[in-house]
Amino acid sequence: MAVVCPECDNPIVIDTDEVEEGETLQCDECGLDLEIVSVDPLELAPVDVTGYDDEDATPIVDEEDE
Ligand SMILES: [Zn+2]
């Protein structure tokens, strides 16, 4: 089974017998990380870089070390 990369339309062939929900793979063409959100039907979603979630990800930028 094949899906197309949402980023570059590169066809990505996936053997649904060998993957599981929650697995991630990478597009060979553009390097986009894709997470398998569903196997049947096969559905992929781009893995967002952390930052959209409301996590404790406060960057420390106010550190003065001079
Ligand atoms: Zn791609």
Side-chain angles (χ1 to χ4, degrees):
M1 184 147 188
V3 295
V4 286
C5 172
E7 186 71 22
C8 68
D9 289 339
N10 175 56
I12 303 170
V13 179
I14 296 171
D15 187 341
T16 50
D17 288 335
E18 294 187 4
V19 295
E20 289 180 9
E21 277 182 29
E23 275 191 41
T24 56
L25 50 94
Q26 205 170 38
C27 172
D28 289 336
E29 283 297 311
C30 69
L32 182 73
D33 286 319
L34 295 164
E35 180 178 356
I36 298 164
V37 292
S38 172
V39 174
D40 184 20
L42 188 59
E43 201 174 321
L44 301 187
V47 178
D48 283 326
V49 190
T50 49
Y52 288 106
D53 281 345
D54 259 57
E55 292 177 21
D56 288 352
T58 312
I60 303 171
V61 291
D62 231 343
E63 196 173 1
E64 296 179 25
D65 55 0
E66 280 186 34

